[in-house]
Amino acid sequence: MPDADVAPLPPSLRTELLVDGSWRPGASGRTFEVLDPATGGVLAEVADATPQDGLDALDAAHRAWPAWRATPPRVRSEVLREVWERVTARTDEFAALITAEGGKPLSEARAETAYGAEFVRWFSEQAVRITGTVRTAPSGANRQLVLRRGVGPSLLITPWNFPLAMATRKAAPALAAGCPVVIKPAGYTPLTTLLFADVVREVLAERDLPLGVINVVPTSDAAALTEPLLRDPRLRKLSFTGSTQVGRTLLRGAAQQVLRTSMELGGNAPFLVFADADLDAAVEGAMVAKMRNAGQTCVAANRFLVHESVADAFAAKLSAAFGELVVGPGSRPGTSVGPLIRPSAVEFVEQVVADAVDHGATVVHGGGRPDLAGYFYNPTVLLRVRPDATAVTEEVFGPVAPIVAFDDEAEAIALANATPFGLVAYAYTRDVDRAFRLAEQLEAGMIGINRGLVSDPSAPFGGMKASGLGREGGEQGIEEYLETVYVAI
Ligand code: SIN
């Protein structure tokens, strides 16, 4: 039973599995609780998919594949366009769910709805632009046709920090490319993804298209559900967003069938501020790069590398900006920083701050938990953190900004690259030559120059090194769901 102290959820709420167009309980009849991180209260009980439910979902996706891949690209495009319109029209419902189960402030949840919906619109436009090539072989002996076709049934494993946008970033290109999907949403935040799938199901049903094109199997045991799916030859593709550790396990599982994989894994983003930077602009960018979803994003600025000559000034300005933030439940008007996802996340942030202080850092703003019921931590600025402190070496996923001072550009680049991760890097400088040197030398799949936000559905999102494989969004996003077939004629 949901708790009385949590906000009422939209009547459209879906809490069962979606398999082959039908809402149904899991084979075991069991459910698991979805919590509100702002209160710790139970929001809903959701059907708990078993491995057999996962296989049923794959079976449905596989059966829907021939009809879906034969559906004209224009029709697939129109389905997605219609989904974009309906999700956008229901922004209030989506935002309420995102805030309820994920905790982020309503303003951010509305922004996520627009961001998530935009992946659907973008890929509705890409569905009709899947092209191949033809040319005469250099020998003149034959022609070479290069065709693109959908890879097939795809398993999409999505994280809790953007329950709409990470589902749409994967499902929209898959559907555009003619690939039916099985989505395994994060156990913490399945409700938003279930509502999104309901919108897709509704549009498919109205057009008499195969309903097995989208299936959703929330579960409390992701490893058990995933394992047989990865061994099943009907599965052709795995896309995952989450930690590098889980990504490695999935890659090992995917190796059995040599599955196509896309991996959007951990980050440890450096945010460089040079002596010539506009410090006010840098602080404005830092607020976005650090504080979106209370620091719980893979692209969150994790380490602030600031030139020694401006480190104190930057710390003072950043602390002043942090001082303006209002910590509280995301549904409360005026809140700008919501809770962390679970108590373990708060405990980790506490350890990180204590470790930084042990390593000689000074807490110049914040520290500690506010006096609130849920899983909160105060926005915190740490100055003169040593590069070997956990706050710098590990992805913190919380509202903590550790500042490390550097002396020159070469040291800044070396510090920025001194991590196994390479998702994103941010840099503030007014020197155009330096900006180009950074673009060429920073080891990251995405680089923000004088910008604290790089995420954009029309641009390729993804990392290098241990941050993953492949790209989502942009022209590249649909490539992840396409095979290349060369025909010699
Ligand atoms: C993520 O945290 O994985 C995604 C963040 C984004 O898309 O901006």
Side-chain angles (χ1 to χ4, degrees), residues 115 161-162 166 169 241 264 292 297-299 455 461:
Y115 176 50
N161 59 349
F162 287 84
M166 298 304 100
R169 184 151 89 185
T241 295
E264 205 267 273
R292 222 167 132 232
T297 75
C298 299
V299 286
S455 310
F461 187 106

Side-chain angles (χ1 to χ4, degrees), residues 88-118:
T88 304
R90 294 171 69 177
T91 294
D92 288 345
E93 270 170 89
F94 275 98
L97 273 187
I98 292 169
T99 293
E101 61 181 353
K104 66 182 65 167
L106 262 180
S107 56
E108 282 193 44
R110 295 180 71 84
E112 181 184 340
T113 307
Y115 176 50
E118 186 56 24

